[in-house]
Amino acid sequence: MASGSERVVVVGVDDSTHSYHALETALDLFFTPFKSNPQFKLVVLHARLPATSVLGFAGPGTVDIIPLVEQDLDKTADLVKKKCTDVCSAKSVEITSLEVVEGDPRNIMLEAAERHHASVLVLGSHGYGAVKRVFLGSVSDYLAHHAHCSVMIVKKPKAKHASNDKH
Amino acid sequence: MAEDQAAAVKETSAVEKQPETTGAEAPTVTITKRMMVAIDESDSSFYALQWVIDHFSNLLMTTEAAEAEGGLLTVVHVQSPSHHFAAFPAGPGGATAVYASSSMIESVKKAQQEASAALLSRALQMCRAKQIRTETLVLEGEAKDMICQAVEQMHVDLLVVGSRGLGKIKRAFIGSVSDYCAHHANCPILIVKPPKEITT
């Protein structure tokens, strides 16, 4: 029973519907079918943007706004943590590690994938700053190119058609 | 004119389906998880296939427990359209074109088909070794377009591609087909990177 060879799935979440959908897809593919003999460990990672990147430019009065932005970002982070915990316990999946790291999402994901020796990194296709015309968000695109481990990109949840329509 | 030909080839794509099941189970499983792996002659795509076999065997095997999950693996290979071989520019500057005789086209087509069959049989062997429920598919046309079309038409739940195919441009991090599919496929896509030891 060598559980030391368990493989790690890292799921990156922000507060978008895409990432919760990505988390659920990851659970369905890597965790729920293996109930009897778990083969993967789940790491959920939320990249918390620094307040300065959210504000963009510095102008007079920015200094006063920063604490409010920080507070809002913290609240979002807590909300994301709670939602992920709920999604995972609804599918009876144990989260090995639920992390919130501040900084640029691209670097954070890359570094986390290295640190955990991830087998696969799972992301939604759009997250921060979802621009509707773009086929693939910039963070997902960057990680698809630069991650050393396999990358799974989950597209937006589409309306479920009859899955047995095999024509 | 070339566009018309390309469109015609796309519409008459040669599709061969050979459902393969090991064991004597009747094929009445409802497919709830259809995975598609795109292969070409590159090592990267076969590594992707092996990755799927290793990581998703619980979903895809022909055992009873896996059948309950309803997984099916579709291995797809896209042949480049054979009309590309119809004319060969010859002479200085390519001014004159030599048109291939029909027998030449036939032999090129035959060679292509043999190559595809060899690839798919290699893939099937890998799958059979682990009792994976598999079917194979050959399409003809532009790889990136045919793969995305197949994903739509067959309601694929997960598309798996290697990171690099035949266009080995060293500076590109992932190949053009994989990149296109990551942007345009309508389903989740898994890009399998080569193991770290092989960093050519």
Side-chain angles (χ1 to χ4, degrees), chain A residues 6-32:
Chain A
E6 264 180 29
R7 300 170 282 196
V8 181
V9 176
V10 176
V11 183
V13 294
D14 55 19
D15 192 32
S16 65
T17 38
H18 291 102
S19 27
Y20 295 121
H21 180 63
L23 176 59
E24 283 187 20
T25 307
L27 294 177
D28 287 339
L29 279 171
F30 293 106
F31 294 93
T32 43

Side-chain angles (χ1 to χ4, degrees), chain B residues 124-140:
Chain B
L124 271 178
Q125 267 188 341
M126 287 165 68
C127 296
R128 277 206 206 106
K130 297 286 164 92
Q131 299 180 283
I132 304 285
R133 187 177 306 110
T134 318
E135 67 176 9
T136 60
L137 184 59
V138 178
L139 300 173
E140 198 177 322

